[in-house]
């Protein structure tokens, strides 16, 4: 199985100590998003975990904990956006996050750190020309530290739409998307990094920009040296291309304060309250097991098939 850590919150930034404790204990408890008193017990032992995919905007707190991941294949989806604190409230300065990206790639290999430029939007403050310049600046800084950039355009989820409109952020027109995407592709032409789009919602294949997968079976096979057999993740939106995974995060627990975030659902105060309930020793990310909660073991198995090839890709 593949562990997603996590689409719902930034575990490397805020909960890396807890995550290491969960690896040592060999399991994690994850609430059902629709019934938080129903808990699933997820094994985290190397015999069933084929790969861990981390999602983060600031993995700096995890840099000194990477040794705890020995025996587990993994890679990072690392979002680097150029927005200010009025959009992404609690992030370190961009230059510091770029340096963290470089340090991470130097430690684990540039193939295991995917740059996400996501979400892209325009506003009176952040024009298309701003993005062309910002993307080029970040791409130059990362030119020796990544092999792929995942490009995503903003989704106007109902619960964040009003906040976005207060900043003059409106849905992008197809011609705006295409013009920016072409400029991004041209920038990366000089670097050994591939540009992909996230989800099928925006199809730029006609421009020579293929659709990509964030939880990517091909990359996992390269990292692990094993073929895997996996289905499309039925728990994600229809527009998502990712293969199946189990997410161990909890909604409304990320403290970055990004105004466009779907995982906070607009409840920024709830994120703070939930974070204060966090116990690094608990099997739950937020809170502890209480009387009346029901725990059910998830059925899990490795997705590996057949024999590994004679030569592994990354040794």
């Amino acid at each position: 199985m593949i562990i997603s850590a996590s689409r719902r919150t930034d575990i490397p930034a805020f909960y890396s100590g807890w995550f290491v404790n969960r690896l040592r204990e060999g399991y994690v408890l994850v609430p059902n998003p629709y019934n938080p008193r129903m808990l699933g017990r997820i094994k985290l032992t190397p015999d069933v975990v084929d790969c861990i995919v981390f999602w983060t905007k600031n993995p700096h707190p995890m840099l000194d904990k990477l040794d705890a991941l020995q025996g587990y294949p993994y890679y990072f989806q690392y979002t680097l956006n150029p927005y200010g604190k009025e959009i992404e409230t609690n992030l370190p300065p961009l230059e510091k996050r770029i340096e963290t990206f470089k340090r991470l790639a130097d430690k684990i290999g540039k193939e295991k750190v995917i740059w996400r430029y996501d979400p892209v939007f325009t506003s009176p403050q952040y024009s298309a020309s701003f993005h062309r310049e910002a993307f080029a600046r970040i791409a130059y800084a990362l030119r020796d530290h990544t092999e792929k950039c995942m490009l995503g355009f903003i989704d106007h989820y109902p619960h964040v739409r009003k906040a976005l409109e207060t900043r003059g952020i409106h849905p992008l027109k197809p011609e705006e998307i295409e013009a920016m995407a072409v400029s991004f592709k041209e920038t990366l032409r000089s670097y050994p990094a591939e540009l992909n789009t996230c989800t099928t919602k925006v199809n730029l294949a006609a421009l020579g920009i293929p659709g990509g997968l964030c939880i990517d079976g091909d990359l996992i096979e390269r990292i692990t040296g094993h073929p895997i057999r996996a289905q499309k993740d039925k728990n994600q939106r229809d527009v998502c291309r990712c293969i199946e995974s189990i997410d161990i995060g909890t909604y409304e627990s990320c403290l970055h304060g990004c105004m466009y975030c779907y995982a906070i659902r607009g409840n920024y105060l709830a994120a703070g309250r939930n974070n204060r309930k966090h116990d690094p020793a608990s099997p739950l990310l937020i809170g502890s097991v209480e009387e009346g909660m029901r725990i059910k073991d998830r059925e899990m198995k490795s997705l590996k098939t057949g024999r590994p090839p004679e030569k592994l890709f990354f040794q």
Side-chain angles (χ1 to χ4, degrees):
M1 68 174 179
I2 298 157
I3 294 295
S4 172
S6 157
R7 286 183 173 95
R8 300 169 182 170
T9 191
D10 195 328
I11 287 176
F14 301 114
Y15 306 106
S16 59
W18 170 84
F19 182 79
V20 169
N21 289 339
R22 291 298 89 221
L23 291 184
R24 290 172 180 157
E25 293 289 332
Y27 78 99
V28 63
L29 298 181
V30 180
N32 183 316
Y34 303 102
N35 184 355
R37 301 192 69 78
M38 292 289 296
L39 310 178
R41 191 196 316 266
I42 312 297
K43 283 183 67 177
L44 293 179
T45 52
D47 59 314
V48 294
V49 175
D50 299 308
C51 191
I52 303 168
V53 181
F54 294 104
W55 308 72
T56 186
K57 292 183 177 179
N58 179 27
H60 187 270
M62 200 167 186
L63 290 179
D64 63 352
K65 301 179 180 70
L66 295 175
D67 287 347
L69 297 173
Q70 289 184 7
Y72 293 89
Y74 63 92
Y75 66 94
F76 282 76
Q77 292 274 347
Y78 190 154
T79 299
L80 278 178
N81 296 327
Y83 303 120
K85 286 190 173 294
E86 81 287 355
I87 302 295
E88 298 174 332
T89 306
N90 296 321
L91 285 172
L94 177 60
E95 293 306 317
K96 185 173 181 179
R97 286 179 281 134
I98 288 173
E99 288 306 309
T100 296
F101 193 110
K102 293 179 179 180
R103 287 183 59 192
L104 180 62
D106 288 342
K107 280 176 173 285
I108 69 174
K110 64 180 181 179
E111 68 282 348
K112 297 179 185 177
V113 190
I114 312 301
W115 171 30
R116 299 185 68 85
Y117 194 75
D118 173 34
V120 179
F121 62 78
T122 58
S123 70
Q125 185 172 358
Y126 300 108
S127 64
S129 62
F130 167 88
H131 281 291
R132 285 193 292 271
E133 295 171 6
F135 185 91
R137 186 170 65 252
I138 298 172
Y140 179 78
L142 302 182
R143 64 193 182 281
D144 298 321
H145 293 87
T146 190
E147 292 185 349
K148 181 178 288 188
C149 175
M150 291 294 291
L151 182 61
F153 295 89
I154 194 162
D155 281 304
H156 285 250
Y157 297 104
H159 53 280
V160 298
R161 194 171 295 157
K162 183 175 291 186
L164 295 179
E165 288 175 353
T166 64
R167 293 284 175 184
I169 302 169
H170 302 288
L172 289 166
K173 299 176 182 177
E175 56 269 26
E176 293 177 304
I177 291 173
E178 292 180 5
M180 284 189 286
V182 167
S183 73
F184 300 156
K185 180 186 176 186
E186 188 61 30
T187 293
L188 290 185
R189 192 183 301 277
S190 304
Y191 308 130
E194 181 183 4
L195 182 64
N196 284 182
T197 53
C198 179
T199 80
T200 62
K201 197 169 184 179
V202 174
N203 185 346
L204 300 176
L207 302 177
I209 303 172
L213 294 80
C214 305
I215 298 189
D216 183 347
D218 289 343
L219 178 57
I220 291 169
E221 289 184 341
R222 290 177 64 201
I223 292 172
T224 64
H226 284 269
I228 63 170
R229 181 179 293 117
Q231 306 296 318
K232 181 183 180 302
D233 195 333
K234 65 179 184 298
N235 294 316
Q236 299 303 317
R237 299 178 296 166
D238 290 342
V239 296
C240 179
R241 300 183 181 92
C242 290
I243 63 171
E244 59 193 289
S245 66
I246 297 177
D247 199 295
I248 62 168
T250 300
Y251 289 113
E252 298 178 1
S253 61
C254 182
L255 301 180
H256 289 318
C258 302
M259 69 180 303
Y260 52 74
C261 180
Y262 67 87
I264 291 295
R265 306 173 185 175
N267 296 323
Y268 301 104
L269 294 178
R273 289 195 297 269
N274 285 333
N275 178 263
R276 289 190 288 273
K277 298 176 185 176
H278 172 68
D279 176 0
S282 173
L284 288 164
L285 180 64
I286 302 300
S288 302
V289 179
E290 300 174 0
E291 185 177 352
M293 288 182 169
R294 296 177 57 190
I295 300 174
K296 181 178 181 181
D297 289 320
R298 287 281 298 267
E299 182 179 351
M300 287 157 293
K301 61 182 180 180
S302 171
L303 301 174
K304 295 175 182 175
T305 64
R307 294 173 59 86
E310 293 182 6
K311 183 178 181 181
L312 303 185
F313 284 86
F314 307 133
Q315 293 183 321

